[in-house]
Amino acid sequence: MLPEEPEITEELVAAHGLTPEEYQLVLQIMGRSPNLTELGVFSAMWSEHCSYKSSKKHLKTLPTEAPWVICGPGENAGVVDIGDGMAAIFKMESHNHPSFIEPYQGAATGVGGILRDVFTMGARPIANLNALRFGSPDHPKTKSLVAGVVAGIGGYGNCVGVPTVGGECEFDASYNGNNLVNAMTIGVAQADRIFYSTAAGVGNPVVYVGSKTGRDGIHGASMASAEFDDESEAKRPTVQVGDPFAEKLLIEACLELMATDAIVAIQDMGAAGLTSSSFEMAGKGGLGLDLYLDQVPMREDGMTPYELMLSESQERMLIVMKPGQEDVAANIFLKWGLDFAVIGKLTNTGRMRLHWHGEIAGDLPIQPLSEASPEYDRPYVIPPARPHLDPHSVKGEDLSSALVKLVGGPNLSSRRWIWEQYDSLVRGDTIRGPGGDAALIRLGDGPKGLAATSDVTPRYCVADPVEGGRQAVTEAWRNLIASGARPLAVTDNLNFGNPEKPEIMGQFVGCIQGMGEACRALNFPVVSGNVSLYNETNGQAILPTPTIGAIGIVDDINKATTLALESGLDLLLVGETEGWLGASRYLMEIEGRADGAPPPVDLSTELQNGKFVSEMISKGLCRICHDLSGGGLAVGLAKMVIAGGVGANIQIPDGVTAVFWLFGEDQARYLLAVSETTRVIEEAKKAGVPISCVGQTGGEKLTVNDAISISISDLEQAHEGWFPTFMAGA
């Protein structure tokens, strides 16, 4: 018997996140008023989180194709050819709102969800990364949020047995009421054994596998598509609860089933749970689907069709099987101690019919929900770039103290406190873990490796969205180059405020424009991603944060670079230095200012300089390399000194002002430590690449003319000390 349902009122419609105009479209599509379950389905499928209704118009402008791209956006994850009959499958996704409400479970289930996006396509996950943004260190919630999020990421990733090899973490007051947790997973599969989510075959059985369904996570997708306010703590029940041990079993069971010939299509139950997975699979295939909800494995008594369709309980998958293969799948999943149930069959009706103990709990057309959700062309105003910084306004005093403060401050200090809570070595294939420009994972038994990184500079994006979008891509590209990798492709996680505000939508559009320009210039396609909007609390938006995750191939891991200095080498600076301090870390953290335009990104120069550095690495002429970004040359060099425990002596060129030359954040620059100096400089001249010898390595100090003199031990103490001190007692 169907449960009694309330009357559909304007208030109930609004509570489900649908506008009056959207509800009128629902009535037009249905030809009648929906019941509560049907209203819930529309609410989830048309939520910003699931439908991308404010962003898809602009996402279509990003480049997504290249000869090595096997599958671009539109599937669970992107797929690129990495040679030798293998493919890399990867994606980044947000779990921002849940992680603010319940930091441990929010972050943990973010990791679980992105893992499922990858292994549902047939890949064994080989690495996790994460990009984190928290509020000001002196905000009362920041420390507890950091502790909970890091514990959740470590607790889930460590238990499931996938190494967490890299990422980033920054602090800014704009995230006080809305932290960001962006999780990225990379997997490897046979290029001819990729699994997709398009349902096919009228009459084919649809099976449910994994953990039982509970009441956790109901309205999770809707919550992720709305601003926060002072009552957001009350949304704690919408945060999912994860079980990493069940996820590990699910990975092994799915991969074992994928080794058979039993699967037609497969989809994980992520945001909006059974609703999104079933509608998307059937919608892509142009089919209908009968679901028998009373057959869904449940862990709580008295669950209703509404709850079953909208629950976001974790560790669950939906599979379309070939006829007669149900027993094959059942035996595998039961062997691994997981639930298995046939809960539906494909039809040719184009409709989703929800059965409940012999009655119809819902009857909806599939295409309007899965393939034809609203698409908005929201008004936007791209904020103009800030005026250039007045160089005369920069004080530039006591540069030794400034450098110590920067490398020992909230945003440029060591993240060892974080990464030591992650297992970065499990599986035994990690060549380079956290702390460098990019992580490096061995691929099989051969010489090849996969490099991975994530990056974005939100302070640039708010100062000039177009330039900030360009820089986010080029910085990730440089990270891969500096590690000895050949960049392949991008996944993105676009975190912004309320798109209904023209200035916020303008930030989004501007960043997308810049990203697209950079990806095209660098032949660096976007193959997957996620959009997270409404990251606001009480009207205060986060900084625009279009996080870029990226991967590249290292053809010979024996030639991979490090940033750790060795003695007796020359330091070569690749790229032009004008001393750009606008929107810089120095200006913000030393002089307490956020003014000035960000450094310009010249894409042809980025390509030229990157190719040169890559060639020097491949020729064996450079084994120590670091790209220069936040904090400029001084901070980049300090990190190299600390990493190697070897000092350096730098000479400032004549006619330049020390503070601009040392802390300017000019783009397209790398610092190399080499022995064959003359040859490298000659190669640079042939390539038309600016290069200069700026110093030598050795000793126990970092010295710069008479401007800076700091011992390695003082640098290291400052760099390693901030995070443990900040988190003491957490």
Side-chain angles (χ1 to χ4, degrees):
M1 182 175 178
L2 291 173
E4 188 174 335
E5 294 188 338
E7 179 187 355
I8 306 301
T9 63
E10 291 182 4
E11 292 74 19
L12 191 59
V13 170
H16 280 75
L18 294 171
T19 67
E21 294 78 15
E22 288 172 342
Y23 185 62
Q24 286 303 310
L25 184 56
V26 170
L27 294 176
Q28 182 180 328
I29 290 169
M30 295 290 289
R32 58 175 171 80
S33 295
N35 62 31
L36 180 64
T37 301
E38 294 165 338
L39 179 67
V41 167
F42 271 98
S43 168
M45 291 299 294
W46 286 5
S47 68
E48 195 73 62
H49 192 76
C50 291
S51 73
Y52 292 71
K53 58 191 175 186
S54 296
S55 59
K56 55 189 173 184
K57 176 180 186 294
H58 304 284
L59 296 176
K60 294 172 185 176
T61 67
L62 292 171
T64 60
E65 297 180 347
W68 53 89
V69 174
I70 296 173
C71 178
E75 269 294 340
N76 288 291
V79 187
V80 294
D81 191 332
I82 56 175
D84 303 316
M86 302 301 291
I89 299 178
F90 70 113
K91 188 183 180 184
M92 180 180 283
E93 194 157 83
S94 62
H95 233 219
N96 301 335
H97 285 50
S99 300
F100 184 80
I101 296 172
E102 210 328 293
Y104 184 95
Q105 289 295 349
T109 52
V111 174
I114 197 63
L115 281 165
R116 289 193 300 279
D117 279 340
V118 167
F119 74 74
T120 192
M121 296 193 71
R124 178 171 291 281
I126 63 168
N128 289 330
L129 294 88
N130 54 79
L132 312 177
R133 296 292 188 288
F134 296 101
S136 174
D138 59 9
H139 189 273
K141 290 198 69 163
T142 297
K143 187 183 292 189
S144 63
L145 287 169
V146 172
V149 165
V150 170
I153 291 170
Y156 204 100
N158 296 353
C159 290
V160 84
V162 177
T164 301
V165 297
E168 52 180 327
C169 174
E170 288 191 352
F171 298 86
D172 186 89
S174 74
Y175 306 105
N176 281 349
N178 201 127
N179 57 222
L180 302 184
V181 176
N182 297 170
M184 175 176 169
T185 292
I186 306 161
V188 174
Q190 291 178 245
D192 60 354
R193 293 289 291 172
I194 309 299
F195 290 81
Y196 298 100
S197 59
T198 301
V202 172
N204 280 351
V206 176
V207 303
Y208 170 119
V209 300
S211 298
K212 289 180 168 61
T213 297
R215 290 188 170 96
D216 54 320
I218 294 173
H219 290 308
S222 301
M223 177 195 67
S225 307
E227 289 186 34
F228 273 171
D229 54 32
D230 292 332
E231 306 303 318
S232 294
E233 294 288 350
K235 297 178 180 176
R236 192 175 298 271
T238 62
V239 177
Q240 309 92 325
V241 178
D243 180 350
F245 298 106
E247 182 102 339
K248 173 61 175 173
L249 298 176
L250 188 59
I251 291 173
E252 300 304 330
C254 285
L255 292 178
E256 183 175 337
L257 181 61
M258 287 167 174
T260 71
D261 194 32
I263 295 176
V264 174
I266 183 169
Q267 173 79 38
D268 82 293
M269 293 190 217
L274 185 56
T275 289
S276 63
S277 56
S278 59
F279 272 86
E280 288 173 8
M281 292 177 82
K284 287 178 181 178
L287 296 173
L289 178 56
D290 279 1
L291 282 182
Y292 299 88
L293 296 178
D294 48 321
Q295 299 301 310
V296 172
M298 302 172 221
R299 70 165 182 258
E300 300 183 45
D301 294 333
M303 291 194 72
T304 65
Y306 178 90
E307 293 170 328
L308 290 167
M309 289 300 291
L310 297 181
S311 168
E312 293 184 9
S313 294
Q314 297 291 284
E315 295 86 42
R316 302 180 302 157
M317 310 287 278
L318 199 63
I319 305 174
V320 177
M321 305 288 302
K322 290 184 177 178
Q325 297 295 309
E326 296 92 328
D327 287 346
V328 172
N331 290 335
I332 290 172
F333 284 94
L334 294 177
K335 179 186 77 173
W336 287 100
L338 297 167
D339 278 282
F340 174 94
V342 178
I343 66 166
K345 64 179 179 180
L346 296 176
T347 70
N348 61 1
T349 64
R351 301 188 68 83
M352 179 74 65
R353 291 186 296 208
L354 307 177
H355 299 260
W356 182 250
H357 297 289
E359 298 187 63
I360 298 296
D363 188 348
L364 305 103
I366 290 174
Q367 286 289 328
L369 282 108
S370 66
E371 305 295 309
S373 61
E375 178 175 329
Y376 294 132
D377 186 5
R378 295 198 185 278
Y380 64 86
V381 177
I382 300 178
R386 290 178 185 162
H388 286 194
L389 178 71
D390 177 5
H392 300 292
S393 69
V394 180
K395 297 175 183 177
E397 300 168 355
D398 194 353
L399 301 187
S400 283
S401 296
L403 179 56
V404 171
K405 185 175 181 180
L406 282 168
V407 300
N411 286 305
L412 294 173
S413 59
S414 169
R415 271 49 184 145
R416 189 181 305 276
W417 184 92
I418 293 178
W419 81 57
E420 285 189 341
Q421 297 184 56
Y422 305 153
D423 189 338
S424 61
L425 300 174
V426 64
R427 293 181 52 81
D429 289 326
T430 305
I431 305 296
R432 299 255 193 276
D437 286 313
L440 178 59
I441 306 99
R442 180 187 291 107
L443 290 173
D445 298 326
K448 293 173 70 171
L450 194 70
T453 187
S454 75
D455 226 304
V456 63
T457 308
R459 64 184 187 279
Y460 292 172
C461 295
V462 73
D464 182 340
V466 177
E467 207 72 84
R470 291 191 194 107
Q471 195 275 339
V473 171
T474 57
E475 170 67 10
W477 193 78
R478 286 198 305 271
N479 285 340
L480 295 174
I481 292 285
S483 301
R486 174 165 38 89
L488 286 178
V490 161
T491 183
D492 58 45
N493 205 144
L494 309 177
N495 309 274
F496 290 82
N498 185 342
E500 297 167 45
K501 298 178 180 178
E503 65 275 16
I504 299 296
M505 196 65 205
Q507 291 175 348
F508 181 87
V509 173
C511 285
I512 287 284
Q513 178 185 326
M515 288 168 53
E517 291 172 2
C519 287
R520 279 186 286 273
L522 301 175
N523 206 8
F524 203 26
V526 179
V527 298
S528 61
N530 172 246
V531 177
S532 175
L533 302 177
Y534 295 95
N535 288 289
E536 294 198 13
T537 298
N538 293 327
Q540 176 61 49
I542 63 165
L543 292 178
T545 311
T547 308
I548 301 296
I551 66 167
I553 283 291
V554 176
D555 293 315
D556 185 352
I557 56 177
N558 296 308
K559 292 183 178 180
T561 58
T562 176
L563 57 78
L565 290 184
E566 298 172 2
S567 295
L569 302 175
D570 285 329
L571 289 164
L572 302 183
L573 176 61
V574 174
E576 295 280 6
T577 300
E578 295 183 9
W580 199 281
L581 280 182
S584 66
R585 274 280 167 227
Y586 174 88
L587 210 62
M588 183 173 290
E589 312 234 350
I590 304 302
E591 300 197 4
R593 302 161 53 189
D595 54 322
V601 176
D602 185 309
L603 294 170
S604 62
T605 300
E606 289 283 0
L607 187 61
Q608 172 186 268
N609 293 1
K611 283 185 174 180
F612 166 73
V613 171
S614 184
E615 187 177 343
M616 293 304 97
I617 294 170
S618 67
K619 288 182 176 180
L621 295 173
C622 176
R623 291 295 307 277
I624 300 171
C625 180
H626 186 32
D627 87 295
L628 300 182
S629 53
L633 172 63
V635 168
L637 180 59
K639 290 184 177 180
M640 296 173 80
V641 165
I642 294 166
V646 172
N649 181 33
I650 301 297
Q651 297 86 42
I652 301 176
D654 294 336
V656 301
T657 305
V659 64
F660 292 96
W661 191 76
L662 288 168
F663 297 103
E665 296 181 2
D666 305 77
Q667 300 295 290
R669 297 189 303 157
Y670 304 80
L671 192 60
L672 319 180
V674 305
S675 57
E676 297 186 53
T677 308
T678 302
R679 183 178 171 192
V680 173
I681 290 176
E682 288 176 352
E683 295 269 5
K685 287 179 179 178
K686 289 178 187 175
V689 170
I691 194 168
S692 58
C693 183
V694 296
Q696 294 75 39
T697 65
E700 298 180 355
K701 289 185 175 182
L702 170 56
T703 62
V704 182
N705 290 25
D706 57 358
I708 291 176
S709 180
I710 313 170
S711 70
I712 298 172
S713 60
D714 285 347
L715 277 174
E716 185 174 15
Q717 184 176 350
H719 190 57
E720 298 290 346
W722 185 85
F723 229 110
T725 301
F726 171 63
M727 294 303 297

